[in-house]
Amino acid sequence: MKPLPFTVYLLLIGLAEVCVGMTKIQLDNAIGSAYKSLQDRLDKVETYFGNLARQVMLQQFNSEQRIRTDGYSGVKAVRSSSHGPANYYSNSYVGSRHFIAVHDHANFIRTVGLGEINAVINGVEFTTRHNDYKLVMSSTKSTGYHDTEPIPFPDIPPSVLKLKDVDDQIEEMRTYFKAFATQNTTLRDYRPYFKANLCYMEGAWTLDKSIEEPFESDRHQLDAASWLELQSLIRYGAYTGTKSPLENFAHLPTAIMHVNKTTGLRLQSYGYPLYLPYGDTNVLQDTSRYARATKLGGKDAMGNKFLARGFNDPNLWCAETTQPRVAPIITEKCTTEKAGKMKVETCESIETRLSWAIPLEIVYMTPLLSWNPYRIPYTNNRKAATASGRYDGSTKRTAYNGTDLSHYYLTPVQFYKGRIRTGISADTARGGVWVRDRKGEPRKCSASGPRMVTPNIEGTLLWCSQELCVSSAFVPQD
Ligand SMILES: *[C@@H]1O[C@H](CO)[C@@H](O)[C@H](O)[C@H]1NC(C)=O
Ligand SMILES: *[C@@H]1O[C@H](CO)[C@@H](O)[C@H](O)[C@H]1NC(C)=O
Ligand SMILES: *[C@@H]1O[C@H](CO)[C@@H](O)[C@H](O)[C@H]1NC(C)=O
């Protein structure tokens, strides 16, 4: 592209040099033909450039198609943290102690520990930053891009709350955990107080020129100002085999997409409407909701109406969106009709905006997230508990000054059995800390945020053989 302005400049200068002594008509003709030759070249360059951009787009598509059929959507790998003589010493998507790099930040009120992962969603492969996402859900009030709200914590059973004595509350809460662990609704109907949340990872091509945090974390943010900077940093890491110690870079691919105006179509599949996949009657599917199957309005070449989304990908959920920041995928739909002896072709442009998702993990919420038998005050910031600078002792002066967003300790330590130690280096919660209650009395508490595995609780042991004990959290004890 570079020589182009240069050529223009030369031509005009050249003309200026030879035009002396020309008539006006000759001059007009010379200028006219110079412009025409320029215009021709420009047209050629535009065509070449268009073809090149199209080829790059198709190259991206080819590489996606290859990845789409190499396996399903899902997590491919986590960062390796060790090596050894046998393959089970190193990490795949499972590490030595955790799946997909999950770990605890139970000292944060609603942070789910999740490290860097390499994932594929609908043929697009990417590597995330250290995730540590928050327990939030799509906003129920706003339709704004990425707007979320906190998932409400489950209630505390009234039979626990009505007890005055903390030890009695602990006993009753343990009974609820025993009922949950043994799924025994006769012992206690635990179901309203133990809620499962399906957490998913969502991907879409966006039109954003600058990088915006794709989701909020209390611990990590993308550490680059632009896509170019992020790409350069991630390439550096990939070629040198190193990483940023803070794990705040992500490999998020960019692509050339065909972009044009927004339409509000309901999603169609090559002209067929999409129905709910099951049942005899045809009920139009609400394509704004994630689904991995649908029913076509017409039969396919194999005579099937049932359609699993993707070519062969049981993990791929699709949803349509109207968010203008999501890049549309555009195609032309043409129909031919006879008008007398002539055939008339009419074409319409179909634009669809989509996002894709994979289920990542199911996170159970328990009453421990808000159970506060010592009535310890909570402040919604990161530092209230440690503002005085001393927080390592058991005296009134040195205990945490209540709890806050990143020092969330409410659970009496004696609720658990023995010492709490996860042995995972990424976990940040301390075993038990002294926290001042609302009267200023120091109380020893455990972290109350979400945990991968609930520590062992007295009285909830299920069964024991000589080799193995399985406790409430279904974890072998060592
Ligand atoms: C469930 O709890 C009830 C009440 O404590 C008890 O009688 C029953 O044996 C328990 N069921 C199982 C399967 O443990
Ligand atoms: C893109 O949009 C413009 C403006 O709406 C339209 O004129 C043009 O035909 C579209 N191009 C393609 C290739 O669809
Ligand atoms: C403890 O927190 C309370 C309430 O936020 C505040 O009024 C008080 O000054 C704090 N005390 C110390 C020693 O930081």
Side-chain angles (χ1 to χ4, degrees):
M1 286 304 289
K2 268 227 169 107
L4 201 60
F6 192 49
T7 315
V8 175
Y9 180 71
L10 262 190
L11 267 172
L12 290 176
I13 298 290
L15 272 176
E17 276 175 2
V18 295
C19 71
V20 185
M22 278 184 175
T23 66
K24 186 168 181 305
I25 293 178
Q26 280 174 322
L27 184 62
D28 282 354
N29 284 347
I31 292 177
S33 73
Y35 268 115
K36 184 169 180 322
S37 106
L38 252 183
Q39 190 58 50
D40 288 350
R41 292 191 65 172
L42 198 62
D43 286 351
K44 269 193 196 146
V45 169
E46 273 183 354
T47 311
Y48 288 147
F49 195 68
N51 287 345
L52 206 58
R54 188 173 161 72
Q55 185 55 31
V56 172
M57 187 175 88
L58 291 178
Q59 215 97 48
Q60 161 88 19
F61 177 67
N62 278 347
S63 105
E64 283 175 23
Q65 277 300 76
R66 172 78 205 270
I67 300 167
R68 266 186 202 108
T69 47
D70 271 355
Y72 303 146
S73 293
V75 177
K76 254 181 86 177
V78 299
R79 190 180 276 284
S80 183
S81 55
S82 57
H83 295 298
N87 54 7
Y88 50 76
Y89 283 103
S90 49
N91 302 347
S92 59
Y93 53 90
V94 181
S96 49
R97 287 194 175 90
H98 30 192
F99 287 88
I100 61 168
V102 295
H103 52 271
D104 280 346
H105 291 298
N107 53 315
F108 281 81
I109 183 166
R110 51 171 72 244
T111 297
V112 178
L114 186 75
E116 295 170 285
I117 57 177
N118 171 245
V120 170
I121 298 183
N122 197 15
V124 181
E125 182 163 346
F126 55 93
T127 310
T128 68
R129 65 154 155 79
H130 194 113
N131 289 277
D132 285 358
Y133 65 93
K134 292 172 84 170
L135 282 177
V136 293
M137 60 187 190
S138 324
S139 174
T140 53
K141 296 173 193 81
S142 146
T143 55
Y145 189 69
H146 281 166
D147 282 356
T148 56
E149 64 188 45
I151 302 175
F153 289 158
D155 290 337
I156 299 154
S159 62
V160 173
L161 285 180
K162 75 166 195 233
L163 297 167
K164 287 238 155 52
D165 189 73
V166 171
D167 286 339
D168 292 343
Q169 286 205 16
I170 289 174
E171 232 13 76
E172 180 65 8
M173 189 61 97
R174 282 179 177 161
T175 310
Y176 265 93
F177 272 81
K178 184 175 181 181
F180 171 57
T182 55
Q183 306 276 288
N184 186 340
T185 52
T186 318
L187 181 57
R188 291 288 184 280
D189 191 358
Y190 60 86
R191 288 169 298 187
Y193 311 107
F194 292 77
K195 301 276 193 184
N197 298 280
L198 175 64
C199 300
Y200 58 95
M201 179 171 267
E202 190 175 38
W205 290 109
T206 68
L207 298 171
D208 297 3
K209 298 269 188 301
S210 57
I211 301 184
E212 191 179 287
E213 268 315 306
F215 62 93
E216 210 187 329
S217 164
D218 278 330
R219 290 177 42 84
H220 292 271
Q221 300 87 36
L222 284 175
D223 216 350
S226 66
W227 288 105
L228 279 180
E229 191 185 339
L230 189 65
Q231 284 160 349
S232 155
L233 289 166
I234 204 77
R235 274 183 79 234
Y236 184 82
Y239 278 101
T240 56
T242 56
K243 69 168 185 177
S244 103
L246 295 175
E247 302 186 342
N248 284 343
F249 299 148
H251 173 225
L252 302 171
T254 51
I256 297 178
M257 303 283 279
H258 186 218
V259 177
N260 236 314
K261 66 175 187 285
T262 321
T263 61
L265 292 179
R266 171 176 275 281
L267 180 57
Q268 293 191 336
S269 169
Y270 296 95
Y272 290 126
L274 300 178
Y275 298 119
L276 287 179
Y278 304 105
D280 296 333
T281 52
N282 285 338
V283 181
L284 277 177
Q285 193 170 36
D286 177 359
T287 54
S288 71
R289 302 283 145 172
Y290 275 114
R292 58 174 179 161
T294 188
K295 190 162 69 175
L296 286 176
K299 283 190 176 130
D300 70 7
M302 305 281 281
N304 286 329
K305 285 188 161 191
F306 181 87
L307 175 78
R309 284 294 182 86
F311 185 73
N312 181 350
D313 192 347
N315 303 340
L316 178 67
W317 269 254
C318 303
E320 202 190 357
T321 177
T322 52
Q323 293 291 347
R325 283 168 64 179
V326 170
I329 181 87
I330 301 172
T331 187
E332 291 257 293
K333 194 183 124 204
C334 297
T335 44
T336 354
E337 275 175 33
K338 271 192 180 166
K341 285 192 175 170
M342 303 274 284
K343 278 187 179 171
V344 181
E345 192 182 51
T346 44
C347 293
E348 63 168 323
S349 169
I350 299 176
E351 291 188 8
T352 310
R353 289 176 154 83
L354 285 164
S355 64
W356 303 278
I358 51 170
L360 205 59
E361 52 179 337
I362 292 175
V363 175
Y364 268 89
M365 283 181 162
T366 77
L368 294 185
L369 287 167
S370 54
W371 181 47
N372 187 2
Y374 290 132
R375 302 190 181 198
I376 293 168
Y378 172 76
T379 317
N380 195 23
N381 68 29
R382 292 178 74 106
K383 287 210 171 97
T386 54
S388 68
R390 291 291 305 272
Y391 48 88
D392 50 1
S394 58
T395 66
K396 279 189 186 185
R397 221 168 49 79
T398 56
Y400 279 117
N401 187 14
T403 62
D404 62 39
L405 189 149
S406 65
H407 305 91
Y408 194 59
Y409 295 86
L410 301 177
T411 314
V413 273
Q414 65 272 31
F415 175 75
Y416 296 114
K417 184 189 170 97
R419 255 190 94 186
I420 303 164
R421 196 166 40 85
T422 62
I424 297 175
S425 57
D427 297 350
T428 49
R430 298 165 66 192
V433 297
W434 292 89
V435 188
R436 281 207 293 273
D437 68 14
R438 67 178 174 161
K439 287 187 179 148
E441 204 59 48
R443 308 287 193 175
K444 197 165 194 193
C445 294
S446 286
S448 308
R451 289 179 190 264
M452 261 194 308
V453 173
T454 308
N456 293 333
I457 300 167
E458 192 67 55
T460 54
L461 214 63
L462 288 184
W463 55 265
C464 257
S465 73
Q466 260 186 333
E467 297 82 33
L468 191 71
C469 279
V470 174
S471 76
S472 60
F474 306 101
V475 176
Q477 297 176 316
D478 44 32

